[in-house]
Amino acid sequence: MRVSIIGAGMIPVGEHWSKGIRELASEAGAIALKDAGMTKVDALYIGNAYGATFNQQTQLGSLIAGDMNLNGIEAYTCEAGDASGGIALRCGCLAIASGVVDSALVIGVEKATDIVGAARISARSISLDADFESVNGGTLTAMAGLLMRRYMVEHGLELSLFEGFSLNAHRNGVLNPFAMYRNPLRQGAFAKAPMVADPVSLFDSAPGGDGAAAVILVSSDVAADLVPKPVFISGSSVVTDHLMLQDREQLLTLNAVRQSAKQALEQSQLTIDDIDLMELHDAYTILTALTFEAMGLSKPGEGWMWAQDGGSQIGLDGVMPISTFGGLKSRGHPSGATGIYQAVEALWQLRDEAGANQVPDARAALIQSTGGLGSTVATHILRVFPN
Amino acid sequence: MTLWPAMDKSSHTFSRQHDGALGIRGTVYSFTLVQEPPAGFEGQSPYILALVELDKGGLITAQLTDMDAAPEIGERVEMVTRKLTTDGSRGMIVYGYKFRPLIRQDTPAKSASE
């Protein structure tokens, strides 16, 4: 794949009560265009998960293109629940790699604060299986609770063992001016936090919120002529698994994570050991633990060990840094936008522009955006140098 | 006997044939207490959502009901028909299945009296 990112931008994740979805998207898109030194693109891909239920708004492509003075270009939404950002990046990559599109603006945007409380929860639950999960009162957090309890019982684990994932996320979020939550988490608080769907607690689940992030894609063949530090996308893979948990081959094995990461790495001619940092879909600590296992970085039942010692192995100077800007847990999780936040963060790492969040000598980053509890997984590999 | 829609993988069609809800038994595989309910389920909150491993094979997602004590993984349960939620402003009741603790071990699995 010969696709490069030549521009990027984001707005802070938070509760933007006074801005609508179109303002959020346009702001982020404008920052990315300016970063690339461009005013026009051939195509616009929007990553958005819940515009229909949160905002009563679809056709975001037309809406945002019009607002951004890009009227007339090819533009539409790419959706796969909370993986929508990663899917939009995939759409942009395919378009550029095909040669049909020369320049693409990819914007991930979510405006959650148009809806609150139980209504927001059911508005998000549409990305579960309607006939078998949400009909029974299932929610994303409830399904995560089912995974976590089974995992803990099968392997004899207690709750505090997962704390390091959240501690690490918040330590990095403190340093990130775009993060929704910039407070450190006190050691010991995790296991005492109020339950949402036990054993998943308030300090375990990523906060929803509003946000928008954007990248500009062009062919790698022209990228170096346009900007001094283009970043290469050397691998791109989207894999699905059964949407409903009950149909998974093995409940605690995230097959789509495994396949998607494997394919993206193979395309990049890299192994997981070559990866300097990962932006994973850490919506819940159980997903992080299971993702480490699916990627072959832990044996089944041992993924939680990456959280040991307060998360020192996954810190910015650790063996495998994750959530380097706070991750979903602390930077925040504006559903459809998250995958593009990950792309911008990885790009800043690779450009050596991550400031206080910098991972030393970052040359290859893996970003992974997930829908549901591993039902759609988009993995991209970003590198400083092409293959 | 099948209860829920079955996928015919050869033709990739999804059949909704089912012939009876009761007499199905299983074991609690996992459970969680839902304390932040979605719209339509606020009145029931908190409720127990579970994955039940069916005697006939496979897992199914369902609420647990009629619980006297906290559930346990491995607990024996049986399927019953229950109200799930109320749909829309007209209050149309949506019925579905839940699981309750297996009460009568000695009755046959498919009992006409239930």
Side-chain angles (χ1 to χ4, degrees), chain A residues 117-119 121-122 125 131-139 141-143 145-150 153-154 194-200 202 242 244-247 251, chain B residues 4-5 9 14 16 28-42 44 47 49-51 53 58-63 73-74 84-85 94 96-98:
Chain A
I121 295 173
S122 51
S125 300
D131 295 319
F132 293 99
E133 294 178 325
S134 47
V135 68
N136 289 305
T139 65
T141 307
M143 303 318 285
L146 291 173
L147 285 181
M148 195 177 193
R149 168 163 272 109
R150 182 71 201 183
V153 167
E154 271 192 29
M195 285 295 160
V196 178
D198 78 283
V200 177
L202 200 64
H242 293 285
M244 53 175 137
L245 287 187
Q246 67 203 48
D247 266 13
L251 186 70
Chain B
W4 43 89
K9 298 214 164 70
F14 206 61
R16 288 183 185 274
V28 175
Y29 193 78
S30 188
F31 64 91
T32 184
L33 186 70
V34 181
Q35 292 172 283
E36 285 188 10
F41 289 82
E42 298 99 315
Q44 305 172 40
Y47 53 87
L49 192 70
L51 279 167
E53 186 169 27
L59 295 179
I60 190 169
T61 309
Q63 287 188 31
I73 288 183
L84 289 180
T85 186
V94 177
Y97 46 82
K98 297 187 184 182

Side-chain angles (χ1 to χ4, degrees), chain A residues 180-262:
Chain A
M180 183 163 178
Y181 288 117
R182 301 193 60 190
N183 58 306
L185 217 53
R186 200 168 21 89
Q187 205 137 7
F190 182 87
K192 298 185 192 137
M195 285 295 160
V196 178
D198 78 283
V200 177
S201 77
L202 200 64
F203 290 178
D204 186 331
S205 40
D210 305 331
V215 291
I216 309 279
L217 306 178
V218 295
S219 164
S220 301
D221 297 334
V222 302
D225 300 329
L226 297 172
V227 296
K229 283 196 266 187
V231 164
F232 297 87
I233 300 180
S234 60
S236 168
S237 167
V238 176
V239 175
T240 56
D241 198 348
H242 293 285
L243 179 49
M244 53 175 137
L245 287 187
Q246 67 203 48
D247 266 13
R248 298 285 172 86
E249 209 176 279
Q250 278 184 302
L251 186 70
L252 300 175
T253 303
L254 299 178
N255 278 326
V257 166
R258 187 171 50 78
Q259 265 307 103
S260 176
K262 181 171 178 276

